[in-house]
Amino acid sequence: MTIDNWTEVLAPVVGIVLAAITASLSYFFAKRSQLRADERRLKEKCYLEYIGALSNNVLSDNIEDARSKLSDAHNHILLIGNSDVVANLRKFSRLIGCDNTNGFTREEHDETLTSLLKSMRQDLYKNRKINDNYPVVSLNGKHRRDRKETPSN
């Protein structure tokens, strides 16, 4: 076999191999991107459920149901959150927990909540600058103990 014959045989084989490699790499990167997007959606859903349960815990008149939802949302984050989120979640949970006999100030609560939210945002968006100039935040709503009881007829 001459060089010309080898070239005629190898050219299509090389083309097929390159096409297969290109298709495989395209599939790999598309699949990886899809998995990351699915993971981000799952995390976002769990984080939003936690914030909703936290708000409900402050606003709801059914404290047992509110605590149950908050516990469920908390436990879901333990599974899907990154280490910073879980550490900040545990810190916030200990602060607001029923067994915290020391209590806490509004400033401690707001700073710990802000740290938790910042870590959630960092986990979702993967952008170090996402929290630049992010203010200290607090929960809005009227606490149960602040509500006036309405007389029942």
Side-chain angles (χ1 to χ4, degrees):
M1 260 184 143
T2 66
I3 298 270
D4 288 339
N5 290 346
W6 277 106
T7 306
E8 289 176 11
V9 172
L10 286 178
V13 172
V14 170
I16 292 170
V17 169
L18 286 177
I21 290 172
T22 302
S24 297
L25 288 175
S26 294
Y27 175 79
F28 171 77
F29 288 118
K31 192 66 171 175
R32 186 171 74 171
S33 178
Q34 179 187 6
L35 289 173
R36 284 182 179 167
D38 290 346
E39 178 186 20
R40 183 171 175 241
R41 278 191 291 278
L42 176 62
K43 286 181 177 190
E44 183 177 23
K45 179 182 178 246
C46 287
Y47 294 164
L48 288 172
E49 284 177 1
Y50 180 78
I51 299 303
L54 191 60
S55 296
N56 194 36
N57 195 46
V58 173
L59 301 173
S60 176
D61 289 326
N62 185 348
I63 190 66
E64 292 305 316
D65 184 50
R67 284 186 180 156
S68 176
K69 287 179 182 176
L70 185 61
S71 292
D72 284 346
H74 174 276
N75 293 339
H76 291 158
I77 291 175
L78 292 177
L79 178 63
I80 61 102
N82 72 16
S83 59
D84 290 336
V85 172
V86 172
N88 283 318
L89 176 66
R90 295 298 305 135
K91 184 177 178 183
F92 184 70
S93 294
R94 281 192 296 275
L95 182 72
I96 66 170
C98 296
D99 55 346
N100 180 2
T101 57
N102 297 330
F104 54 87
T105 65
R106 183 180 212 68
E107 290 77 25
E108 285 176 306
H109 175 277
D110 293 349
E111 298 240 349
T112 309
L113 175 63
T114 300
S115 293
L116 174 58
L117 293 176
K118 283 181 173 182
S119 63
M120 288 176 175
R121 290 166 50 88
Q122 177 70 38
D123 188 26
L124 285 174
Y125 302 115
K126 308 293 186 206
N127 180 346
R128 294 190 187 279
K129 294 186 178 189
I130 190 73
N131 291 321
D132 286 358
N133 300 316
Y134 192 79
V136 173
V137 297
S138 62
L139 294 174
N140 289 328
K142 217 170 195 179
H143 294 276
R144 269 185 294 297
R145 65 180 172 265
D146 295 340
R147 296 183 192 162
K148 294 184 180 182
E149 295 294 319
T150 57
S152 50
N153 294 333

